[in-house]
Amino acid sequence: MSEIAKLELNGKLYELPIIEGSENEKGIDISKLRSTTNGYITIDPGFKNTGSTKSGITYLDGENGILRYRGYPIEQLAEKASFLEVSFLIIYGDLPTKTELDSFKESITNHTLVHEDMKQFFEAYPAKAHPMGVLASMVCSLSTFYPESLDHNRTPEAKDLTIHRLIAKLPTLAAWSYKNAMRHPFMYPNNNFDYCENFLHMMFAMPTSEYKTDSTIVSALNKLLILHADHEQNCSTSTVRIVGSSHANLYASVSAGISALWGPLHGGANQAVIEMLNQIADDGGDVDKWVAKAKDKNDTFRLMGFGHRVYKNFDPRATIIKKACDDVLNKLGVKDPLLEIAKKLEKVALEDEYFKARNLYPNVDFYSGIIYKAINIPTEMFTVMFALGRLPGWIAQWKEMIQNDEPIGRPRQIYNGKNHRDYIPVEKR
Ligand code: CMC
């Protein structure tokens, strides 16, 4: 017999169906609650208990530290796959055949250039502009160069072209936002490079000197992008889905996702972690003092890179990144004092009752910043790197939402403001 939830309200019994996922996760379907109960809604600030959709893209078990894209464990993908292969998997549902992958790569490689007119947009930004602000604006601006992307009912092939363009151009826009901040000349994409190499080339080559491929750096970047590729209904992805649910185009939806990612509680945490470690180092490196500050409820300081809404045991991405971080630093021969502080901080926090009781463990952003730093990515670009990685997830979630013909996202509220009052002219107030 299928399960049913029963809700007793004012002496009346309501039956609520149970939805079950393919990994046996369960949800109570309250979609008809308001109409059947004469106006009752559910309240769940921050959507801590609310499933906004059924999705077949990413499976996440926060209690057991499991993360799978389309059924494949993150550990296997991070070890063995390329970022474009994983992007194809996430967006189209299965790992590509050799022919599919070749044609996907070719399409992405052929769309890496951005329209020359876009260069003028970059030049108008102040040198100090944060690259996330620039990136969000540039991605939205792509819609003005490809107005056909505004047509919600275009063919699947036309939608794929928009998707490929976005994947191809995001590294160009990201690298140019950095070059612009440095007031260095923009480096054009080079189609002889693969996805990660090409990004590094656009970041670090100069008209006077070539980018020399370093396999340790390319492979670290590939891994980091894969680890960030999707994470089900997080803040930025929910933003992409909700913006897209109004039938806004893909560029506008992803641009909104980039803005949501920017905050230090989400993707901006990787920048915040390095800033925090620097702050601790500058203050003399007394880790205990900063752990005490993080525990003090009268102090707004939090340990950045610790805690997660859904992982309550460990973040499997952090486990992989921690190892990758050691490998990269060893191979590159980098001795980073910040890594020592990070390790001390992790040890102290993990043994502390406050952190244990609240299940606060290092998350993906705790070590990613140290790798980015070791491969010379400037701190302000860290969240941009997260955006590069998260792009296939945003696209896949947008595509799934459109394919499922999901209704416009529009939560309700409980109003707790003033009751009716009459307008009084200003001279009488
Ligand atoms: N340092 C100190 N205390 C913390 C921290 C922290 N980093 N994170 C949570 N807590 C405490 C919090 O004060 C609360 O304590 P109490 O129960 O006594 O009130 C308890 O732990 C639960 O925290 P919460 O804020 O209710 O949990 P949440 O699920 O709403 O927030 C979070 C999750 C990630 C926003 C939060 O842990 C945080 O602010 N972490 C630091 C920022 C960070 O690293 N963000 C990156 C997340 S991973 C990348 C991504 O996918 O976005």
Side-chain angles (χ1 to χ4, degrees):
M1 202 183 93
S2 54
E3 277 181 285
I4 275 192
K6 289 183 182 165
L7 172 72
E8 197 181 331
L9 197 63
N10 299 329
K12 208 172 157 199
L13 206 61
Y14 298 89
E15 290 196 342
L16 302 167
I18 301 288
I19 306 258
E20 194 167 334
S22 50
E23 293 285 345
N24 307 323
E25 332 89 278
K26 290 178 180 168
I28 301 170
D29 179 355
I30 52 107
S31 54
K32 304 265 184 321
L33 188 71
R34 189 171 178 275
S35 52
T36 52
T37 58
N38 220 352
Y40 283 83
I41 61 164
T42 53
I43 281 282
D44 182 19
F47 311 122
K48 292 193 177 196
N49 270 301
T50 297
S52 57
T53 189
K54 288 187 243 169
S55 175
I57 301 169
T58 288
Y59 173 66
L60 198 165
D61 174 346
E63 271 67 38
N64 294 307
I66 295 173
L67 176 64
R68 295 184 204 135
Y69 300 155
R70 303 280 188 188
Y72 294 98
I74 189 67
E75 293 78 8
Q76 292 180 22
L77 295 172
E79 186 62 36
K80 297 178 183 152
S82 73
F83 176 63
L84 280 190
E85 205 181 349
V86 171
S87 301
F88 186 99
L89 167 72
I90 290 179
I91 296 169
Y92 297 108
D94 285 303
L95 281 171
T97 61
K98 168 94 176 63
T99 318
E100 284 169 336
L101 184 60
D102 287 347
S103 112
F104 185 58
K105 275 187 189 161
E106 192 187 333
S107 176
I108 301 299
T109 308
N110 285 333
H111 287 104
T112 48
L113 269 181
V114 296
H115 199 288
E116 280 294 292
D117 288 351
M118 282 194 98
K119 277 166 71 181
Q120 296 166 32
F121 296 179
F122 280 99
E123 284 153 13
Y125 284 107
K128 285 198 164 54
H130 195 288
M132 282 297 274
V134 176
L135 194 68
S137 313
M138 289 299 169
V139 167
C140 200
S141 302
L142 285 173
S143 61
T144 64
F145 288 87
Y146 303 104
E148 66 279 9
S149 67
L150 273 58
D151 176 7
H152 181 70
N153 297 314
R154 65 201 188 286
T155 62
E157 292 72 28
K159 281 186 182 147
D160 274 346
L161 180 57
T162 306
I163 290 173
H164 293 196
R165 278 194 176 122
L166 184 52
I167 298 175
K169 292 178 201 313
L170 197 69
T172 313
L173 297 174
W176 285 14
S177 69
Y178 166 64
K179 287 287 194 195
N180 188 56
M182 301 290 288
R183 292 297 190 250
H184 283 171
F186 299 133
M187 292 304 297
Y188 284 95
N190 180 335
N191 288 355
N192 295 321
F193 286 133
D194 81 3
Y195 196 78
C196 291
E197 284 175 303
N198 188 37
F199 172 72
L200 294 165
H201 149 76
M202 290 186 285
M203 281 287 290
F204 299 120
M206 293 288 270
T208 45
S209 59
E210 280 182 2
Y211 165 71
K212 289 198 181 52
T213 303
D214 180 320
S215 59
T216 305
I217 296 180
V218 173
S219 121
L221 180 57
N222 182 62
K223 194 174 289 221
L224 281 162
L225 296 186
I226 291 174
L227 291 175
H228 287 88
D230 192 50
H231 213 230
E232 48 118 302
Q233 308 311 317
N234 56 83
C235 174
S236 57
T237 301
S238 299
T239 302
V240 170
R241 282 186 91 122
I242 212 160
V243 172
S245 76
S246 74
H247 296 185
N249 66 80
L250 177 66
Y251 300 123
S253 307
V254 167
S255 164
I258 294 172
S259 299
L261 186 74
W262 191 356
L265 298 188
H266 190 12
N270 54 15
Q271 176 176 339
V273 167
I274 290 293
E275 287 166 354
M276 173 189 77
L277 294 175
N278 275 322
Q279 204 179 0
I280 298 175
D282 292 346
D283 188 49
D286 182 354
V287 164
D288 293 320
K289 172 180 159 190
W290 290 84
V291 170
K293 268 169 78 62
K295 291 173 3 180
D296 181 355
K297 293 290 172 203
N298 297 316
D299 192 324
T300 53
F301 174 75
R302 278 189 168 201
L303 277 192
M304 299 316 283
F306 271 75
H308 201 277
R309 171 60 63 79
V310 287
Y311 291 120
K312 297 300 174 196
N313 200 342
F314 66 96
D315 180 341
R317 303 166 304 169
T319 312
I320 302 170
I321 283 196
K322 188 178 174 185
K323 188 176 170 303
C325 186
D326 283 336
D327 288 353
V328 170
L329 267 63
N330 279 339
K331 280 196 193 144
L332 298 178
V334 175
K335 292 253 176 298
D336 191 339
L338 292 193
L339 182 63
E340 291 315 309
I341 296 189
K343 283 188 169 160
K344 265 196 230 165
L345 199 62
E346 182 187 15
K347 189 165 181 299
V348 174
L350 290 181
E351 287 166 1
D352 189 288
E353 261 324 299
Y354 173 97
F355 290 88
K356 285 207 267 185
R358 290 168 181 76
N359 297 314
L360 300 172
Y361 299 90
N363 57 48
V364 69
D365 288 325
F366 192 65
Y367 284 103
S368 63
I370 294 172
I371 306 189
Y372 287 136
K373 189 165 172 276
I375 64 175
N376 292 324
I377 305 282
T379 314
E380 285 212 328
M381 284 293 287
F382 288 3
T383 315
V384 168
M385 305 305 294
F386 195 150
L388 282 182
R390 185 54 52 88
L391 182 64
W394 288 332
I395 292 173
Q397 302 268 354
W398 174 87
K399 191 165 172 274
E400 182 181 68
M401 185 257 318
I402 303 283
Q403 270 165 357
N404 293 349
D405 203 14
E406 290 183 14
I408 185 166
R410 205 299 184 189
R412 290 194 175 258
Q413 65 165 18
I414 296 291
Y415 175 70
N416 67 354
K418 302 271 189 228
N419 294 114
H420 176 103
R421 43 185 179 165
D422 288 321
Y423 175 80
I424 302 165
V426 67
E427 57 280 3
K428 294 196 178 161
R429 271 176 236 156

